[in-house]
Amino acid sequence: MPPLPQPESGLVIRYSYLWAYEARRGQEEGLKDRPCAVVLSVKNEAGAIRVLVAPITHSQPESSSFAIEMPPAVKARLRLDTDQSWIITDEVNCFVWPGPDIRPVPQGIRDAICP
């Protein structure tokens, strides 16, 4: 696997996202690998990088959720499918980079993201 890029806002990674409802049920890892957008990354005094990621989903958000619909051109650039997708903005995961839940991106998608 090629080296991971430095996490920065806007980077889209493949990640085993743990939804809040899954955590409440006692799960420790997400059930599905999904694209997630890096929202923020901060290096602490010890040099560890903490990252916040927001999930990208095909499920239309509930009316009580905050989300941003991804434009088709952005999805095409990332080589994601053509179905509607949303970045959920009122739920995030936080982890130390690189975390064990980061998954390899398929070659064709990686080439589109990192030419």
Side-chain angles (χ1 to χ4, degrees), residues 32-98:
K32 178 180 175 184
D33 297 343
R34 68 178 57 254
C36 290
V38 173
V39 176
L40 178 70
S41 67
V42 178
K43 187 181 285 189
N44 67 19
E45 293 156 3
I49 301 172
R50 297 200 52 87
V51 177
L52 291 177
V53 295
I56 298 173
T57 181
H58 289 117
S59 299
Q60 187 162 358
E62 297 176 9
S63 60
S64 62
S65 292
F66 293 95
I68 300 168
E69 186 173 356
M70 291 185 73
V74 172
K75 290 195 69 177
R77 171 74 172 104
L78 294 171
R79 294 196 183 170
L80 298 175
D81 61 37
T82 58
D83 296 341
Q84 279 184 300
S85 291
W86 291 266
I87 302 171
I88 304 301
T89 60
D90 60 352
E91 180 175 332
V92 295
N93 280 190
C94 180
F95 62 93
V96 174
W97 184 270

